Amino acid sequence: MKLFITGIGTEVGKTVCSAVLVQYFKAEYWKPVQSGDLHYTDSHKIEAWTDQTVCYPETYRLQLAASPHQSAREENLHIDLDRFQLPETDQPLIVEGAGGLMVPLSDNRFIIDLIEVLNLPAALVIRNYLGCINHSLLSIMALKQRNIKLGYLILNGEFPEDTERVICSFVEEGTEIIRIPEIGTPDREHIRAAAKQLTITKL
């Protein structure tokens, strides 16, 4: 099982959800691009929050905490999709993107292009906020247009029934819905507890 974790935007909890899925599936982890926070990267968080997880090195480690295309430009780099190679492993693998699907890696290549190049099914993280329905449906539509399989819809935290119903009605039959409980402070104890409470249902 190899899965690309993306989100409907920034700050929707992709890294926390990745940690829960790493714990649940006993998976390894790879963050292809890290922009900023090199002293405490998403890989560092996964290592701190989960049990003895193998984390593969990032293909690009960029200093500036900004969109990857801007961070790369600051260092006179060009992010080349041909440089990305999936880690060779027989274990389940969680791959975490940066931001949402249309976050630019260069002026004309985006996270959605990376998912396509890696040929992985996507798991879309959704968090409840005003506008999340619009962002969710646009993201699902973008994946459909590229013929990228939406393997999982990840509902991170609590959702009003009306919001959840509309979003789930837009997803193709066969997609699995992962519900992850609200996590106040991410740490190993809370990630373990969330992994035990996680539920998966199929549409």
Side-chain angles (χ1 to χ4, degrees):
M1 190 278 293
K2 294 177 173 59
L3 199 61
F4 195 106
I5 309 298
T6 187
I8 62 171
T10 57
E11 303 302 324
V12 295
K14 288 190 309 301
T15 304
V16 169
C17 290
S18 293
V20 174
L21 295 184
V22 162
Q23 188 74 22
Y24 181 83
F25 289 114
K26 296 179 173 55
E28 298 175 347
Y29 175 85
W30 180 44
K31 177 88 172 183
V33 180
Q34 176 72 41
S35 289
D37 299 321
L38 297 187
H39 64 289
Y40 190 46
T41 65
D42 289 341
S43 294
H44 290 143
K45 293 173 185 175
I46 296 296
E47 289 174 341
W49 296 345
T50 62
D51 297 327
Q52 299 179 326
T53 299
V54 173
C55 293
Y56 293 94
E58 301 91 340
T59 303
Y60 289 92
R61 290 171 55 88
L62 306 168
Q63 296 286 339
L64 182 65
S67 173
H69 81 303
Q70 180 183 351
S71 304
R73 188 176 180 84
E74 287 288 321
E75 299 180 36
N76 294 314
L77 295 174
H78 174 76
I79 295 178
D80 182 358
L81 289 184
D82 291 336
R83 281 196 58 195
F84 293 100
Q85 298 292 330
L86 274 175
E88 294 184 9
T89 177
D90 294 328
Q91 301 303 310
L93 179 68
I94 297 297
V95 180
E96 183 186 349
L101 292 168
M102 299 309 294
V103 165
L105 297 171
S106 65
D107 287 355
N108 57 8
R109 291 291 183 268
F110 304 85
I111 289 292
I112 196 169
D113 295 300
L114 177 58
I115 301 174
E116 204 167 34
V117 165
L118 294 175
N119 194 27
L120 293 176
L124 183 65
V125 177
I126 300 172
R127 191 162 183 81
N128 180 51
Y129 57 83
L130 186 62
C132 76
I133 296 175
N134 177 58
H135 295 160
S136 299
L137 301 193
L138 287 172
S139 297
I140 294 167
M141 188 182 301
L143 291 169
K144 285 181 181 178
Q145 288 176 342
R146 293 292 192 95
N147 292 316
I148 296 172
K149 180 183 177 182
L150 178 59
Y152 295 94
L153 197 69
I154 302 175
L155 302 179
N156 183 23
E158 298 299 321
F159 282 78
E161 182 180 343
D162 290 339
T163 298
E164 182 176 330
R165 184 181 66 255
V166 170
I167 293 172
C168 289
S169 70
F170 204 70
V171 176
E172 292 182 355
E173 186 177 349
T175 298
E176 294 186 284
I177 308 299
I178 295 178
R179 290 176 173 83
I180 293 179
E182 190 70 37
I183 299 174
T185 303
D187 56 27
R188 188 165 296 184
E189 180 182 353
H190 288 99
I191 294 298
R192 281 176 178 168
K196 290 179 180 178
Q197 298 173 50
L198 177 152
T199 63
I200 303 179
T201 55
K202 183 172 287 190
L203 284 178

